[in-house]
Amino acid sequence: MKTIVVTLLTFFAAVISAIAQDFQGMAVYESKTSTSDFQSSFAGNRDITPEMQKMFEERMKKMFEKTFVLHFNRNASIYKEEEKLDAPGQGNSGFRMASSMMGGGGTQYKNIKEKTYSVDKEVFGKEFLVKDSLPVLEWKMGSETKKIGDYTCYKATAMRKIDQSDFRNIRMKKDDEKKNENESSNKKVEEKSTNFMDQIDMPTEIEITAWYTPEIPVNQGPENYWGLPGLIMEVNTGKTVILCSKVVLNPKDKKEIKAPTKGKAVSQKEFDEIVKKKMEEMREMGGGRGGFQMRVGG
C-alpha cells in the first residue's frame, strides 16, 4: 500500500511539473509616450505651415502610440510590436530608425531563469542583435492597489538607468538652458538653434512606477521589466505609460518562445555607443545651420 501511495504521489508531482512547464500566457499592451515637448518645440515656428504641423503630429502619433504583444511562460517571454500595414512613406529606413529609438521594432526576448535578454534592431540600414544581462531593479513594494481589467494590482517603484539609445525619455531644453550652455562654452548666441541634438536633454536615470498582479504569478512584464511577484500590468515612467489591455492564459494556439538570432551581436553599451556615434556623424553632416533633423517619413 505504501509503495502504491509513493508511486501515485510521484506520478501527480510529475503531472503538475509538466503542466507548469507547459503553462503559457499572452498579454496585449498599449504604449503611449507624451509628445508635448516635441510639439512645443515647433510651436511658433514660422517655417512650419499648419499642414506640415498636422502631418508631423500624425507621424509622431504613429511613433509614440504602439501596441505590443507579450507571450510568456514561467521562464521566458517575447515582446513584439503588433504588425500593422505601413502608411505611405512609413516603411522607409528613416521611419524604422526613429520608431526603433521610440521603443518599437524587433523582437525582445527575456530569459528570467538566466537573467538575460536579447533584441534584434535595425538602425541605419544595419541589423544588430543586442544581448545583455537583465537590469536588476530594487523594487520598493507598496500597499496601494487598483484594478486593471479583472485583476487587482499592487504598486511598486524603482529607479532605473536609461539606455541612451531609447529616445522616449528625452526632453527639449528650454531657451535659457541652451543660452547658459552656449555662454559657458563661450559660444556667441546669434539665433535660435535648429540643430536637433543641441535642443534635447537625455536623463541618465528615471523613476519607474509599476503595477503587478499576484493573481498571475509569473516573474514577467513588458519590455525589460521583471522581478515582481506577479505579471506587471502597467509601467509608468512619467513620459511613457505601458498599460495591459488584454490577458489570455493558456491560449489554444501556443507561441514558440525563443530568442532572436539575426544581426551583429553587441552589448547594450556597445549599441548605445553605435547610435550615439552615428547621430553625431549625422549632426556634423547637417552642418551648422540645420543640423540633424529627425525625419520620420517622406
Side-chain angles (χ1 to χ4, degrees), residues 20-40:
Q21 290 177 7
D22 192 48
F23 168 79
Q24 191 174 121
M26 183 274 288
V28 178
Y29 291 87
E30 308 296 336
S31 174
K32 292 186 179 182
T33 299
S34 170
T35 61
S36 57
D37 274 0
F38 293 95
Q39 292 181 10
S40 63

Side-chain angles (χ1 to χ4, degrees), residues 195-293:
N195 190 314
F196 178 79
M197 296 301 290
D198 286 339
Q199 297 182 61
I200 65 172
D201 182 40
M202 174 75 84
T204 57
E205 191 177 51
I206 54 173
E207 183 177 27
I208 306 297
T209 298
W211 295 87
Y212 68 95
T213 178
E215 295 170 31
I216 307 176
V218 294
N219 202 345
Q220 293 285 356
E223 297 191 6
N224 275 357
Y225 296 106
W226 68 293
L228 288 169
L231 179 67
I232 298 175
M233 301 287 283
E234 180 181 334
V235 175
N236 191 322
T237 69
K239 292 195 67 173
T240 299
V241 177
I242 306 172
L243 178 63
C244 183
S245 59
K246 179 181 180 181
V247 176
V248 179
L249 299 179
N250 287 314
K252 183 178 179 180
D253 296 324
K254 301 291 184 181
K255 182 77 173 181
E256 186 177 12
I257 298 176
K258 64 178 183 178
T261 57
K262 292 183 179 180
K264 179 182 177 182
V266 293
S267 67
Q268 184 66 58
K269 183 178 180 180
E270 289 171 333
F271 182 74
D272 290 347
E273 287 297 321
I274 290 169
V275 172
K276 182 179 179 181
K277 183 178 179 180
K278 192 64 179 179
M279 296 289 278
E280 288 295 334
E281 290 176 359
M282 295 176 70
R283 175 185 180 180
E284 293 173 3
M285 288 173 61
R289 287 201 311 162
F292 168 66
Q293 299 292 327

Side-chain angles (χ1 to χ4, degrees), residues 12-25 71-77 113 217-218 220 250-251 254-257:
F12 284 125
V15 170
I16 293 171
S17 177
I19 292 173
Q21 290 177 7
D22 192 48
F23 168 79
Q24 191 174 121
H71 292 276
F72 59 90
N73 56 34
R74 297 196 184 279
N75 294 324
S77 66
K113 192 174 182 180
V218 294
Q220 293 285 356
N250 287 314
K254 301 291 184 181
K255 182 77 173 181
E256 186 177 12
I257 298 176

Side-chain angles (χ1 to χ4, degrees), residues 10-169:
T10 303
F11 171 76
F12 284 125
V15 170
I16 293 171
S17 177
I19 292 173
Q21 290 177 7
D22 192 48
F23 168 79
Q24 191 174 121
M26 183 274 288
V28 178
Y29 291 87
E30 308 296 336
S31 174
K32 292 186 179 182
T33 299
S34 170
T35 61
S36 57
D37 274 0
F38 293 95
Q39 292 181 10
S40 63
S41 69
F42 286 90
N45 191 322
R46 290 174 296 179
D47 295 330
I48 299 179
T49 65
E51 291 77 16
M52 293 170 62
Q53 178 75 17
K54 183 178 179 181
M55 181 182 69
F56 173 78
E57 290 176 357
E58 289 175 351
R59 293 184 176 179
M60 290 290 284
K61 182 177 181 180
K62 172 75 174 179
M63 280 198 302
F64 285 87
E65 295 186 11
K66 301 173 180 293
T67 300
F68 294 86
V69 179
L70 176 75
H71 292 276
F72 59 90
N73 56 34
R74 297 196 184 279
N75 294 324
S77 66
I78 52 174
Y79 184 72
K80 189 172 183 178
E81 185 177 354
E82 189 177 71
E83 294 183 1
K84 297 178 182 178
L85 186 63
D86 287 329
Q90 294 183 351
N92 61 31
S93 59
F95 186 85
R96 287 197 300 270
M97 176 191 75
S99 181
S100 174
M101 291 177 178
M102 302 305 170
T107 299
Q108 192 160 4
Y109 171 83
K110 290 198 301 287
N111 190 309
I112 302 301
K113 192 174 182 180
E114 298 176 359
K115 296 182 174 58
T116 60
Y117 74 91
S118 57
V119 54
D120 53 345
K121 285 184 172 290
E122 180 185 344
V123 290
F124 313 116
K126 295 182 179 179
E127 291 187 348
F128 294 93
L129 182 61
V130 184
K131 302 175 69 175
D132 220 316
S133 300
L134 279 169
V136 179
L137 303 182
E138 296 182 4
W139 293 107
K140 294 181 180 179
M141 316 297 281
S143 58
E144 187 177 345
T145 66
K146 73 174 181 178
K147 279 277 190 178
I148 298 179
D150 297 327
Y151 298 94
T152 299
C153 299
Y154 292 80
K155 184 179 179 179
T157 59
M159 297 300 296
R160 177 179 179 174
K161 291 183 179 180
I162 294 176
D163 296 332
Q164 296 301 293
S165 57
D166 185 348
F167 273 47
R168 287 173 298 175
N169 299 293

